[in-house]
Amino acid sequence: MAAARCTFPLFLCVAVHAFMLCCSASSEADTLLSFKSSFEDPNHSLSTWSTSSSPSSSPAHYCNWTGVSCSADQPFHVTALNLQALNLSGEISASVCELRYLSYLNLADNLFNQPIPLELSQCTSLETLNLSNNLIWGTIPDQIAQFSALKVLDLSRNHIEGKIPESIGALRDLQVLNLGSNLLSGNVPPVLGNFTKLVVLDLSENAYLVSEILGDFGKLVRLEQLLLQRSGFYGGIPDSFTGLQSLAVLDLSQNNLTGGISQTVVASLKNLVSFDVSQNKLVGSFPDGICGAKGLIELSLHTNLLNGSVPESIHECSNLEKFQIQNNDFSGDFPSGLWSLPKIKVVRAENNRFSGDIPDSVSMATRLEQVQIDNNSFTGKIPQGLGLVKSLYRFSGSLNKFHGEIPPNFCDSPVMSILNLSHNALSGQIPELTKCRRLVSLALADNSLTGEIPSSLADLSVLTYLDLSANNLTGPIPQQFQNLKLALLNVSFNQLSGKVPYALISGLPASFLQGNHGLCGPGLSAPCLDDQPSHHKTRITALTYALISVAFGVGVLIVAAGFFVYHKSSKEKRQRGVWRSVFFYPLRVTEQDLIMGMDEKTAAGVGGAFGRVYVLSLPSGELIAVKKLVNFGIHSSKALKSEIKILAKTRHKSIAKILGFFHSDESIFVIYEFVPGGSLGDLLFRPDFQLQWSFRFRIAIGVAQGLAYLHKDYVPHLLHRNVKSSNILLDAESNPKLTDFALDRVVGEAAFQTTLISVTMHQNVATARKLLSKWTFTALGLCCWS
Ligand SMILES: *[C@@H]1O[C@H](CO)[C@@H](O)[C@H](O)[C@H]1NC(C)=O
Ligand SMILES: *[C@@H]1O[C@H](CO)[C@@H](O)[C@H](O)[C@H]1NC(C)=O
Ligand SMILES: *[C@@H]1O[C@H](CO)[C@@H](O)[C@H](O)[C@H]1NC(C)=O
Ligand SMILES: *[C@@H]1O[C@H](CO)[C@@H](O)[C@H](O)[C@H]1NC(C)=O
Ligand SMILES: *[C@@H]1O[C@H](CO)[C@@H](O)[C@H](O)[C@H]1NC(C)=O
Ligand SMILES: *[C@@H]1O[C@H](CO)[C@@H](O)[C@H](O)[C@H]1NC(C)=O
Ligand SMILES: *[C@@H]1O[C@H](CO)[C@@H](O)[C@H](O)[C@H]1NC(C)=O
Ligand SMILES: *[C@@H]1O[C@H](CO)[C@@H](O)[C@H](O)[C@H]1NC(C)=O
Ligand SMILES: *[C@@H]1O[C@H](CO)[C@@H](O)[C@H](O)[C@H]1NC(C)=O
Ligand SMILES: *[C@@H]1O[C@H](CO)[C@@H](O)[C@H](O)[C@H]1NC(C)=O
Ligand SMILES: *[C@@H]1O[C@H](CO)[C@@H](O)[C@H](O)[C@H]1NC(C)=O
């Protein structure tokens, strides 16, 4: 077209055209380079921003630079810059406004440390400015009005303080305003009620924003998300909220709101998906009519002062997944229709005054995961239907008036982890629990249960908390309980009798056995009459002495051999120095056998950060994993032993056991139980990688429990310090087991640091793997740690 209208000879015309293209191009490139020159870019994230690196022959080559997007058709113009999360700092220069077509600028998640860059208001086409999660400080100045063309302004997660100025009212075209997680104070200016195009308004997490909720917010007819949680809002929820016809997400939680929840308001919010007013000081009754919003998924009213009953109409909320009304003063019969909602996952109503029972139709709630209704006045029996819900992992109904027998299927959900029916009026026997292999905690205290403690409980391998106290149980404590790794066993105040399993006594305060006059055993007030235990004990002691003498003998031989070898060849010394070993488990091999076995054939996979792992077979056929670490010699033999012993004493289903160790001046070999399923990392990097969510969930929970145990429960507290997918092993049933934990204690802090750093510096492949796996792990964690 241009050629046709051209009055010059054709070739000249083409040349002029090319020149114009080239020069507009080069000036946009120059603008970008000048914008970049005011940044500090420590990780060279913008290394592609360079004229030399691109073929200058292609026009608009800068459209390929990191984060740069251009218009789709010629002539190309820069329309968007997305420089999110690149560790950029320095100055945000107004030179960028020379890009006349720039409409989108995202500098979120960087390290810009400056006041709000008002100069950017010179960017005449700019519609979106995202500065979220930087170190922006200072107040919002009146000149914010200069940004009047903006549609999206995100200043969240910075350190912006002071009042929101009236002048912000000039930003009439705003569709998204996010000022969340700052240090704003004072009142919300009424002018915000004039932003009729607003779709998202986020003023959350500004603790000093002490204000009433504007009645004028009700005029924001297009508003879909109103997020005011965790600020200082007080007063009532305005009646004008009836006007919020488009509202889908309303979060007013953790403020100081008072007054009631108006039925009229709630009934007019037809598009609600999530309604959260929890942790305020709201009074009055349940918002009947909330189910007018057919799409409602989440309803949170918890921790307020609400009272009265919850109407049966709640069963009209057919999409409801989360129902949280705990810590209020609700009373009356609990609405039975709630129990059979097809999508319901979470029911929390603890600490109210509900009566009524759980109907057998609860079996229709096929996605139910969590029920907490403790401390109410529920009556009736625990229904059979509950055992048919295969997704249930927590049921706690303590401090109620449930009576009758516990149905035999009540722990049939394969994911059931926490059961608490303490302080009820349950009678009959404890059923055999065989299907809930994931049960971690079982509390049946203070009921009227009779009969014996089923020994099948001992087959629940992850059971760690068992409270059967204050019942009328008879018979012995099953000997098999010795196999469990119980953190708490409370069987006090029953009528149990017989010998207490030895392993239980040694680890338990006797108070957990008190009030059972028939129980006997060493350490208890009643020693057992048969003398078998002491006999047994002598045998054990004799055996121990024998073993020690043999071990000593072997040790002497080894030391002698060690010296011999040492003097013979300094090269051989590397492998056969003076070995010292401590096994916490009868391995029936010597460290020499193990060392002989460690070669290329038994090496498993590539070396991790700290050294290689070898998989060896014991004479018994059992497999063990031996990890070789460099001995930096920071510990004496004795100190090393006590450090590793600390690690070896950890006992948790999600922690790989340490069976022993041996060391020379050069190396430390830590012996772990062999976990057959490989690592989570291997699984993730398999080409056909696919994981079901239930599986991910289980791994995430297992890992979380393992870490919580190391970090919090175990004394002394251990920090894992090297969590990554290759250190999460999977056993035959794909349960996670953490390994490589707290190695800093073994090699010493300095060596630990250098090893981690040198790996990061030199093993690019391993680093990429590690980052990726960290990411995956975070993703796993995020979904499940709420
Ligand atoms: C990015 O730069 C920072 C500051 O120099 C540095 O601490 C960090 O290790 C770098 N990260 C990467 C991945 O290069
Ligand atoms: C961007 O890069 C691709 C391939 O590297 C190339 O084909 C394309 O022409 C480049 N675009 C521009 C505008 O330079
Ligand atoms: C930013 O720096 C952190 C550590 O300082 C580093 O982990 C991250 O990889 C860096 N990001 C980029 C894009 O280089
Ligand atoms: C701003 O950027 C952050 C990080 O990319 C993103 O999470 C957020 O949604 C963006 N804000 C808006 C309003 O799009
Ligand atoms: C809101 O807009 C109306 C009409 O434009 C104007 O009269 C009123 O003063 C504005 N309110 C505030 C608080 O600025
Ligand atoms: C609620 O108000 C009280 C006193 O008025 C104040 O101490 C408290 O910090 C406020 N809570 C919130 C979440 O703003
Ligand atoms: C709810 O609480 C108010 C006082 O806050 C009281 O007047 C009213 O009687 C209570 N209603 C019920 C049903 O308990
Ligand atoms: C039970 O709930 C009442 C309020 O209904 C509360 O005062 C009490 O502390 C709760 N008891 C327990 C043990 O949590
Ligand atoms: C079971 O419920 C009782 C009473 O609510 C509580 O004290 C106890 O801690 C709960 N046990 C477990 C393991 O959650
Ligand atoms: C246990 O049984 C005896 C008599 O059979 C009864 O008196 C007592 O109240 C019962 N204890 C409990 C806790 O149910
Ligand atoms: C064990 O049970 C008894 C009786 O229920 C109770 O008094 C005691 O506090 C419980 N101990 C622990 C640690 O739970």
Side-chain angles (χ1 to χ4, degrees):
M1 281 305 184
R5 266 188 264 115
C6 198
T7 52
F8 296 108
L10 185 62
F11 82 92
L12 242 182
C13 185
V14 171
V16 166
H17 205 93
F19 174 78
M20 284 168 60
L21 256 183
C22 124
C23 292
S24 86
S26 78
S27 78
E28 288 214 321
D30 289 347
T31 301
L32 287 170
L33 290 175
S34 120
F35 186 46
K36 174 190 172 181
S37 69
S38 64
F39 291 159
E40 286 175 29
D41 177 13
N43 300 115
H44 308 292
S45 310
L46 302 182
S47 56
T48 56
W49 289 36
S50 144
T51 36
S52 57
S53 76
S54 325
S56 54
S57 54
S58 74
H61 52 91
Y62 52 86
C63 293
N64 271 355
W65 291 356
T66 305
V68 178
S69 304
C70 290
S71 46
D73 302 311
Q74 283 196 335
F76 298 115
H77 288 295
V78 177
T79 53
L81 284 180
N82 186 352
L83 305 180
Q84 184 214 333
L86 299 176
N87 288 335
L88 301 176
S89 59
E91 195 197 334
I92 303 174
S93 151
S95 65
V96 75
C97 293
E98 284 164 33
L99 301 169
R100 284 181 297 120
Y101 297 86
L102 186 70
S103 72
Y104 177 95
L105 179 58
N106 188 345
L107 299 173
D109 308 322
N110 282 296
L111 301 164
F112 291 108
N113 186 340
Q114 61 167 73
I116 298 174
L118 288 171
E119 316 80 62
L120 293 183
S121 63
Q122 297 164 27
C123 298
T124 46
S125 304
L126 198 62
E127 294 184 348
T128 297
L129 176 59
N130 192 338
L131 295 170
S132 169
N133 195 23
N134 276 283
L135 303 164
I136 308 282
W137 47 268
T139 57
I140 304 179
D142 279 333
Q143 292 87 329
I144 196 81
Q146 294 165 4
F147 281 109
S148 56
L150 277 186
K151 292 187 175 155
V152 175
L153 176 60
D154 191 341
L155 298 174
S156 61
R157 304 169 69 198
N158 281 294
H159 304 299
I160 298 172
E161 59 190 3
K163 295 190 171 183
I164 306 174
E166 283 285 340
S167 63
I168 203 168
L171 279 54
R172 286 177 184 282
D173 288 329
L174 274 189
Q175 295 168 9
V176 176
L177 175 60
N178 190 345
L179 302 176
S181 299
N182 276 295
L183 303 165
L184 294 170
S185 56
N187 275 302
V188 175
V191 71
L192 281 192
N194 261 1
F195 286 169
T196 45
K197 295 181 180 165
L198 218 50
V199 176
V200 177
L201 176 58
D202 189 340
L203 302 176
S204 63
E205 302 191 41
N206 280 285
Y208 311 111
L209 201 60
V210 178
S211 178
E212 287 192 276
I213 300 180
L214 293 182
D216 278 356
F217 280 170
K219 294 194 289 185
L220 306 178
V221 287
R222 301 203 191 153
L223 202 62
E224 292 173 13
Q225 298 187 24
L226 179 56
L227 308 172
L228 305 180
Q229 70 273 19
R230 300 182 66 171
S231 290
F233 288 99
Y234 63 90
I237 303 172
D239 286 340
S240 63
F241 270 25
T242 45
L244 297 174
Q245 297 295 325
S246 310
L247 199 65
V249 179
L250 178 63
D251 194 342
L252 306 179
S253 62
Q254 300 187 59
N255 282 294
N256 258 341
L257 299 178
T258 50
I261 309 169
S262 149
Q263 312 288 349
T264 343
V265 166
V266 161
S268 47
L269 304 177
K270 298 270 189 248
N271 292 304
L272 271 185
V273 172
S274 170
F275 183 82
D276 190 347
V277 295
S278 59
Q279 303 187 65
N280 280 291
K281 293 171 184 154
L282 297 170
V283 296
S285 56
F286 185 87
D288 195 5
I290 189 116
C291 291
K294 290 290 173 226
L296 192 69
I297 291 178
E298 178 168 1
L299 177 60
S300 266
L301 309 177
H302 71 83
T303 322
N304 276 295
L305 305 163
L306 300 169
N307 68 1
S309 62
V310 176
E312 270 296 342
S313 63
I314 191 76
H315 80 266
E316 290 165 19
C317 283
S318 52
N319 284 300
L320 199 62
E321 293 179 9
K322 275 192 180 174
F323 181 69
Q324 309 195 97
I325 59 166
Q326 69 270 25
N327 309 326
N328 278 292
D329 194 24
F330 288 119
S331 55
D333 276 358
F334 193 77
S336 57
L338 191 89
W339 293 115
S340 42
L341 285 179
K343 296 190 179 166
I344 194 81
K345 286 184 179 162
V346 176
V347 176
R348 293 196 58 180
E350 69 267 24
N351 303 324
N352 281 290
R353 293 187 289 131
F354 284 115
S355 53
D357 55 11
I358 304 177
D360 206 37
S361 58
V362 65
S363 61
M364 288 156 68
T366 51
R367 301 192 189 171
L368 195 58
E369 293 174 357
Q370 187 179 349
V371 175
Q372 287 171 253
I373 52 171
D374 314 72
N375 193 19
N376 280 285
S377 297
F378 281 93
T379 52
K381 297 187 174 179
I382 305 294
Q384 291 261 359
L386 203 62
L388 301 174
V389 181
K390 295 296 179 233
S391 47
L392 197 61
Y393 75 82
R394 173 166 200 172
F395 181 87
S396 59
S398 66
L399 289 163
N400 277 292
K401 295 173 185 160
F402 289 116
H403 63 81
E405 296 197 2
I406 300 174
N409 73 346
F410 95 119
C411 200
D412 274 8
S413 163
V415 292
M416 180 60 81
S417 306
I418 300 175
L419 266 175
N420 194 344
L421 288 169
S422 300
H423 311 291
N424 278 289
L426 299 167
S427 55
Q429 303 205 350
I430 301 173
E432 297 281 339
L433 309 179
T434 51
K435 294 203 176 148
C436 44
R437 314 294 300 183
R438 299 275 180 277
L439 194 64
V440 174
S441 167
L442 177 63
L444 298 172
D446 187 23
N447 280 286
S448 300
L449 299 169
T450 53
E452 298 200 354
I453 300 175
S455 57
S456 61
L457 281 180
D459 299 333
L460 304 176
S461 56
V462 297
L463 191 63
T464 40
Y465 182 109
L466 182 58
D467 188 354
L468 304 175
S469 63
N471 278 289
N472 257 348
L473 299 169
T474 51
I477 300 174
Q479 290 293 324
Q480 294 91 324
F481 274 19
Q482 301 192 90
N483 304 333
L484 288 172
K485 298 181 181 76
L486 291 170
L488 183 138
L489 171 69
N490 194 346
V491 294
S492 57
F493 302 106
N494 278 288
Q495 284 144 39
L496 299 171
S497 55
K499 194 169 69 192
V500 177
Y502 185 76
L504 291 184
I505 291 193
S506 60
L508 269 188
S511 63
F512 299 153
L513 303 170
Q514 71 183 317
N516 288 286
H517 301 297
L519 284 181
C520 66
L524 289 183
S525 53
C528 294
L529 290 179
D530 56 343
D531 59 349
Q532 233 192 323
S534 58
H535 205 88
H536 193 56
K537 210 165 144 196
T538 356
R539 262 211 328 261
I540 288 179
T541 329
L543 197 64
T544 317
Y545 281 133
L547 276 175
I548 289 174
S549 339
V550 170
F552 183 73
V554 171
V556 168
L557 279 180
I558 290 169
V559 169
F563 268 101
F564 181 61
V565 173
Y566 180 86
H567 286 292
K568 201 174 163 200
S569 147
S570 68
K571 208 173 184 186
E572 259 180 59
K573 189 191 84 179
R574 275 183 170 278
Q575 284 299 313
R576 296 172 188 223
V578 183
W579 293 100
R580 284 158 291 239
S581 63
V582 178
F583 297 163
F584 307 114
Y585 181 87
L587 298 179
R588 298 194 183 81
V589 284
T590 67
E591 56 280 80
Q592 298 295 356
D593 295 339
L594 294 177
I595 290 163
M596 302 295 244
M598 281 189 265
D599 53 28
E600 286 308 309
K601 268 190 291 175
T602 53
V606 289
F610 293 91
R612 288 199 108 154
V613 177
Y614 301 85
V615 175
L616 302 172
S617 145
L618 296 177
S620 61
E622 244 180 298
L623 295 173
I624 54 171
V626 181
K627 184 168 186 90
K628 182 178 178 181
L629 305 169
V630 177
N631 188 355
F632 291 89
I634 60 129
H635 289 306
S636 69
S637 208
K638 201 171 148 200
L640 190 62
K641 177 175 168 185
S642 80
E643 288 299 342
I644 297 189
K645 213 168 170 180
I646 287 173
L647 306 194
K649 278 172 133 182
T650 56
R651 279 289 175 274
H652 190 276
K653 60 160 178 134
S654 303
I655 308 279
K657 264 191 259 177
I658 292 181
L659 309 177
F661 78 101
F662 52 100
H663 69 111
S664 69
D665 291 335
E666 277 82 23
S667 307
I668 304 170
F669 293 84
V670 185
I671 309 171
Y672 292 91
E673 69 173 315
F674 175 67
V675 184
S679 79
L680 178 62
D682 297 341
L683 194 67
L684 292 176
F685 288 102
R686 239 185 248 163
D688 58 344
F689 160 69
Q690 247 186 346
L691 273 188
Q692 287 183 344
W693 276 106
S694 58
F695 183 88
R696 294 174 193 229
F697 184 68
R698 196 171 54 188
I699 292 177
I701 292 281
V703 170
Q705 288 170 340
L707 287 177
Y709 170 82
L710 286 180
H711 295 180
K712 275 171 55 196
D713 297 345
Y714 187 70
V715 181
H717 298 333
L718 298 176
L719 282 178
H720 189 297
R721 300 194 66 182
N722 196 13
V723 181
K724 52 183 177 177
S725 60
S726 56
N727 284 339
I728 299 172
L729 306 177
L730 301 173
D731 72 11
E733 282 115 29
S734 296
N735 294 312
K737 279 185 188 289
L738 289 164
T739 184
D740 255 17
F741 52 92
L743 288 183
D744 54 327
R745 299 189 78 112
V746 180
V747 297
E749 177 66 20
F752 181 82
Q753 294 278 1
T754 10
T755 314
L756 273 189
I757 289 164
S758 72
V759 167
T760 323
M761 300 270 288
H762 301 304
Q763 297 180 5
N764 283 333
V765 178
T767 311
R769 255 177 90 111
K770 206 165 105 190
L771 286 176
L772 262 177
S773 50
K774 229 180 213 161
W775 178 84
T776 341
F777 180 70
T778 317
L780 275 174
L782 277 181
C783 77
C784 315
W785 283 7
S786 62

